[in-house]
Amino acid sequence: MVIELVNVLGLDIGGANTKAAFLKTQDGTVKELRTSVEYFPIWKSGKEQLPRVLEKLKKGLVDSALDGVGVTITAELSDAYMTKKEGIHHVLACITEVFGEAPMFVLDVEANLLLVKDARSEPLEVASANWAATGWMISQLIKNCIVVDVGSTTTSIIPVIKGKIAAEGRTDLEKLQNGELVYSGSLRTNVAAIVNGIPVQGRVAHVSSELFAQSGDVHLILGNIREEEYTAETCDGRGKTRREAMARLARVVCADTDMLTEQEIVEMAKFVYYKQVEHISGGLKLVRERIKTSLQEKIVVVVTGLGRNFLARKAAENAGFKDIIDMKEHLGAEASVVSPSVGVALMLASRLEGKTVRWKQS
Amino acid sequence: MVIELVNVLGLDIGGANTKAAFLKTQDGTVKELRTSVEYFPIWKSGKEQLPRVLEKLKKGLVDSALDGVGVTITAELSDAYMTKKEGIHHVLACITEVFGEAPMFVLDVEANLLLVKDARSEPLEVASANWAATGWMISQLIKNCIVVDVGSTTTSIIPVIKGKIAAEGRTDLEKLQNGELVYSGSLRTNVAAIVNGIPVQGRVAHVSSELFAQSGDVHLILGNIREEEYTAETCDGRGKTRREAMARLARVVCADTDMLTEQEIVEMAKFVYYKQVEHISGGLKLVRERIKTSLQEKIVVVVTGLGRNFLARKAAENAGFKDIIDMKEHLGAEASVVSPSVGVALMLASRLEGKTVRWKQS
């Protein structure tokens, strides 16, 4: 008996980035994985451009007939749409336009893959379910843990108990309330949303409420990310050198690089960094508090996403966790920054194969 | 002896709005005042458009030869410029290009009018001195007070003692440290910079760090401003109806108008409003603390700007002040929302007349 290759594409349609993972599996094993990210700020570039972006990802990744496309969507929150419902319907229409020939499935907040028609009739069930893809994938590898996935824009905190996702919040709103979503990330977070004030030259300065600098500037200044990892637009449209990032951060306290020294700006960056870690740590503590009765044994934290080390790991340490696992060791660096698209692809491959396909780096 | 009319133009070149006041005075008395505001977000519309905006203001207001142009600048902070110095030089070049024929003066942070050549050689002395124009104008009318000027974007808190401005901070940075500048205003303040979390349906939700909604939405929802007073761009490019503002505010907690009721969104708006008042009140308390030894008598608060009643007055009440004077009673509603441009025009007219010209509404 010849076991055929299964070819699936996982899509994670975010508001700022569109991510794709093309996966070939055979008999429960991953044979090949290719991933790609397109920076596509939908509220700025225009939602009518989405099919073009999807075409580009398809062309760059897919080299054989697709057995299925798995989709997770967060772009519906973008203000390109008046309501989430409108957003889900539009994204599904674009995907159908581009991948019409392949069987399509949409992830819901219960980590089920729905048919497109069912997703259309219950759009809020499939809104912002990307964390469920990551949670499912990791739950296949580590049975008891809390996943901290720090992306460019947001952080998902996903409890996994006895191999099952144990998230309590279904919507983003519920997750913002219970700590499972912290709207803070490695690159795109407005510094004015992280801190109210920053000590400068020995005295706390309240901050400007403009979008003068973002977390990417802070992490570039501190060497947490390299220029090529800063894959978001800058606030002033200028470049991604350390000097340009310092000018942006100085502006947050209405200063500039003539008024502040390099060392003073680095001290500002450290303070913002500390507050961001504290913020993520706060979410993690809330989640731990809730699950600790059901999870008697020692809780492991699994860190993933672009900010897995300088934000997720630091937040876990800050919350007192000792056992911290870097998903990069399981997934590789490439897949660990696009976990939801890989996760939804693995889920779909498992469904098509009729057995669980686990990702292990070869 | 015939005393000639003096014709002066006051310009307040902000980062988001360019304001102008054309003033005719005679023998220490205001004969005519016309004001105008152009919404001109310099970082977005492009700094090379500034001369065109100035031409438009000139054409709309100035009907006779100018005896002088008085200028105050805050646009240098915009990220259209790499440093403040670059910004001041560029704005001065644009003004010279458009008003080259008239004698020009630039306000500094000591409330002096400098010649353009002196401003060019000390650009940081004239950066963000607009509060000094407002302070000077009010100090001519009320000898002991704290002025709270809430504009679209920022709040200036200016102590006046014995008829003199008694501000301690010279730069915006110093003012962010000592409470004299609170970077929060009536229209353009990102809600994510006002609050970290908002109670929704009985539980605090952390907020999204995007620019999903701004203070103008909050104040429109609560009826603090009317649609026509909402003179800033909206965050999503949609309109200024209450319903559209509610959709924007719902998005701040990753929700929408399908998920939250009108009443729930109104409760959110009230909470953000309360926090914004508290924030401005905090600056006011810091300033009061510093001056209370030099000002023994009861301190009067003078409120001005677009947010003079729903933000400045509320902040003063929150800080326990009893005597609150609305500058609208002295200046009229029109002039009280463009105080710095009127102030710098009055200062210049006084200088040209050789006697103090006080503004009293006729």
Side-chain angles (χ1 to χ4, degrees):
Chain A
M1 175 187 148
V2 178
I3 298 175
E4 299 277 343
L5 271 178
V6 169
N7 299 313
V8 296
L9 186 71
L11 289 172
D12 176 15
I13 318 284
N17 288 288
T18 301
K19 286 145 279 186
F22 178 57
L23 192 67
K24 299 186 185 197
T25 68
Q26 191 175 39
D27 195 19
T29 310
V30 173
K31 292 292 170 188
E32 195 178 335
L33 171 70
R34 298 181 211 162
T35 65
S36 188
V37 180
E38 282 290 313
Y39 176 67
F40 174 62
I42 195 164
W43 71 96
K44 200 182 278 182
S45 306
K47 58 194 174 203
E48 66 286 353
Q49 295 298 315
L50 181 56
R52 191 190 50 74
V53 174
L54 294 172
E55 285 286 3
K56 189 175 168 192
L57 285 167
K58 181 183 176 186
K59 210 169 159 187
L61 288 177
V62 180
D63 66 359
S64 34
L66 284 169
D67 297 304
V69 176
V71 183
T72 168
I73 306 168
T74 53
E76 80 286 346
L77 176 65
S78 159
D79 63 18
Y81 305 110
M82 188 70 178
T83 62
K84 289 167 189 270
K85 186 176 166 185
E86 180 194 324
I88 295 291
H89 281 280
H90 178 257
V91 172
L92 291 177
C94 294
I95 296 172
T96 309
E97 180 186 331
V98 175
F99 298 97
E101 70 280 10
M104 268 171 41
F105 300 88
V106 188
L107 187 67
D108 78 359
V109 295
E110 301 285 354
N112 299 311
L113 288 170
L114 304 188
L115 296 174
V116 172
K117 69 177 177 53
D118 294 328
R120 282 208 175 98
S121 66
E122 291 291 351
L124 288 181
E125 292 297 307
V126 299
S128 295
N130 59 343
W131 56 272
T134 305
W136 180 87
M137 175 170 61
I138 294 176
S139 71
Q140 303 306 308
L141 301 169
I142 300 165
K143 295 294 155 200
N144 294 295
C145 63
I146 301 176
V147 181
V148 182
D149 180 4
V150 182
S152 66
T153 306
T154 61
T155 295
S156 290
I157 299 178
I158 314 153
V160 172
I161 299 177
K162 295 177 185 151
K164 299 272 177 214
I165 295 173
E168 180 199 48
R170 291 166 58 90
T171 64
D172 276 354
L173 170 58
E174 287 167 9
K175 290 176 175 296
L176 286 170
Q177 291 171 322
N178 73 9
E180 290 171 1
L181 173 62
V182 181
Y183 211 113
S184 198
S186 319
L187 301 179
R188 292 189 55 258
T189 309
N190 188 343
V191 169
I194 303 174
V195 292
N196 298 316
I198 305 178
V200 183
Q201 300 174 334
R203 204 170 169 188
V204 174
H206 274 86
V207 298
S208 158
S209 52
E210 308 283 355
L211 177 54
F212 278 153
Q214 59 193 357
S215 47
D217 296 311
V218 169
H219 299 305
L220 189 79
I221 291 170
L222 296 176
N224 292 337
I225 57 169
R226 299 185 308 276
E227 266 185 67
E228 58 272 24
E229 290 174 304
Y230 193 159
T231 55
E233 253 172 298
T234 60
C235 303
D236 59 3
R238 292 198 180 80
K240 291 164 185 173
T241 64
R242 191 157 180 265
R243 175 143 191 90
E244 287 164 305
M246 289 199 296
R248 287 187 284 269
L249 189 58
R251 209 170 275 128
V252 172
V253 290
C254 298
D256 65 12
T257 48
D258 292 337
M259 291 166 68
L260 299 178
T261 65
E262 178 177 341
Q263 189 51 41
E264 285 167 342
I265 297 171
V266 168
E267 289 303 319
M268 287 175 61
K270 284 182 184 167
F271 181 83
V272 177
Y273 178 28
Y274 174 77
K275 286 288 178 185
Q276 195 180 19
V277 167
E278 211 175 49
H279 195 182
I280 295 170
S281 184
L284 182 53
K285 286 174 187 170
L286 273 178
V287 172
R288 176 177 58 189
E289 195 57 34
R290 180 168 57 77
I291 65 163
K292 72 179 180 192
T293 48
S294 44
L295 200 61
Q296 293 298 329
E297 59 195 292
K298 204 161 58 174
I299 309 175
V300 175
V301 169
V302 176
V303 296
T304 188
L306 174 58
R308 65 189 175 279
N309 275 305
F310 60 92
L311 287 168
R313 179 182 292 276
K314 292 281 174 196
E317 288 169 356
N318 186 285
F321 288 95
K322 302 290 177 207
D323 289 326
I324 301 166
I325 296 173
D326 185 349
M327 265 325 269
K328 185 182 163 188
E329 292 159 25
H330 291 266
L331 294 181
E334 187 190 344
S336 68
V337 301
V338 293
S339 321
S341 58
V342 177
V344 76
L346 283 169
M347 285 177 84
L348 180 53
S350 302
R351 169 140 161 184
L352 297 176
E353 285 213 20
K355 63 169 79 166
T356 299
V357 182
R358 286 184 188 83
W359 171 251
K360 288 233 158 100
Q361 200 182 4
S362 50
Chain B
M1 175 185 145
V2 178
I3 298 176
E4 299 278 343
L5 272 178
V6 168
N7 299 314
V8 295
L9 186 72
L11 289 172
D12 176 14
I13 319 285
N17 288 288
T18 300
K19 288 146 277 185
F22 178 56
L23 193 67
K24 300 186 184 196
T25 68
Q26 192 175 38
D27 195 19
T29 309
V30 173
K31 292 294 168 186
E32 195 178 334
L33 171 71
R34 299 181 210 160
T35 65
S36 189
V37 180
E38 281 290 315
Y39 176 66
F40 174 62
I42 195 165
W43 70 94
K44 199 182 280 182
S45 306
K47 58 192 174 205
E48 66 285 353
Q49 296 297 316
L50 181 56
R52 191 190 50 73
V53 174
L54 294 172
E55 285 286 2
K56 189 174 168 193
L57 285 166
K58 181 183 176 185
K59 210 169 160 186
L61 288 177
V62 180
D63 66 358
S64 34
L66 283 169
D67 297 303
V69 176
V71 183
T72 168
I73 306 167
T74 53
E76 80 288 344
L77 176 65
S78 160
D79 62 18
Y81 305 110
M82 187 72 179
T83 61
K84 289 167 188 269
K85 185 176 165 185
E86 180 194 324
I88 295 291
H89 280 279
H90 178 257
V91 173
L92 290 178
C94 295
I95 297 172
T96 309
E97 181 186 330
V98 175
F99 298 98
E101 71 280 10
M104 268 171 41
F105 300 88
V106 187
L107 187 67
D108 77 0
V109 294
E110 301 285 352
N112 298 312
L113 289 169
L114 305 187
L115 297 173
V116 172
K117 71 177 174 57
D118 294 329
R120 282 206 175 101
S121 64
E122 292 291 348
L124 289 181
E125 293 297 307
V126 299
S128 295
N130 59 342
W131 55 272
T134 305
W136 179 87
M137 175 171 62
I138 294 175
S139 72
Q140 304 305 308
L141 301 170
I142 300 165
K143 296 294 155 198
N144 294 294
C145 63
I146 301 176
V147 180
V148 182
D149 181 5
V150 182
S152 66
T153 307
T154 61
T155 296
S156 291
I157 300 178
I158 314 154
V160 171
I161 300 176
K162 294 177 186 149
K164 300 271 175 213
I165 295 173
E168 180 199 48
R170 291 167 58 90
T171 64
D172 275 354
L173 170 57
E174 288 167 7
K175 289 176 177 298
L176 286 171
Q177 291 172 321
N178 73 10
E180 289 171 4
L181 173 62
V182 181
Y183 211 112
S184 199
S186 320
L187 302 179
R188 292 189 55 257
T189 308
N190 188 341
V191 169
I194 302 174
V195 291
N196 298 317
I198 305 178
V200 183
Q201 299 174 335
R203 203 170 170 189
V204 174
H206 274 86
V207 298
S208 158
S209 52
E210 308 282 354
L211 176 55
F212 278 153
Q214 58 194 358
S215 47
D217 296 310
V218 169
H219 299 305
L220 189 80
I221 291 169
L222 297 176
N224 292 337
I225 57 170
R226 299 185 307 275
E227 265 186 67
E228 59 273 24
E229 290 174 304
Y230 193 160
T231 56
E233 253 171 300
T234 60
C235 303
D236 59 3
R238 290 196 181 80
K240 291 165 184 173
T241 64
R242 188 155 182 266
R243 175 143 190 90
E244 286 163 305
M246 288 198 295
R248 286 187 286 270
L249 189 58
R251 210 170 274 129
V252 172
V253 290
C254 298
D256 65 13
T257 48
D258 291 336
M259 292 165 67
L260 299 178
T261 65
E262 176 175 345
Q263 189 51 40
E264 285 167 342
I265 298 172
V266 169
E267 289 303 320
M268 287 176 61
K270 284 182 184 167
F271 181 82
V272 177
Y273 178 28
Y274 174 76
K275 285 288 178 184
Q276 193 180 22
V277 167
E278 212 176 45
H279 194 182
I280 295 170
S281 183
L284 182 53
K285 286 175 187 171
L286 272 179
V287 171
R288 175 177 58 188
E289 196 56 34
R290 180 167 58 76
I291 64 163
K292 72 178 179 193
T293 49
S294 46
L295 200 61
Q296 293 298 330
E297 61 195 292
K298 203 161 58 174
I299 309 175
V300 175
V301 169
V302 176
V303 297
T304 187
L306 175 58
R308 66 189 175 278
N309 275 305
F310 60 92
L311 285 168
R313 178 182 292 277
K314 292 282 175 196
E317 288 169 358
N318 185 287
F321 287 94
K322 303 289 178 209
D323 289 326
I324 301 166
I325 297 172
D326 185 349
M327 264 325 270
K328 184 182 164 188
E329 291 159 24
H330 291 264
L331 294 180
E334 188 191 345
S336 68
V337 300
V338 293
S339 319
S341 59
V342 177
V344 75
L346 283 168
M347 284 178 85
L348 179 54
S350 300
R351 170 140 161 183
L352 297 176
E353 285 213 19
K355 63 169 80 167
T356 299
V357 182
R358 286 184 189 83
W359 172 253
K360 290 231 157 102
Q361 200 183 6
S362 51

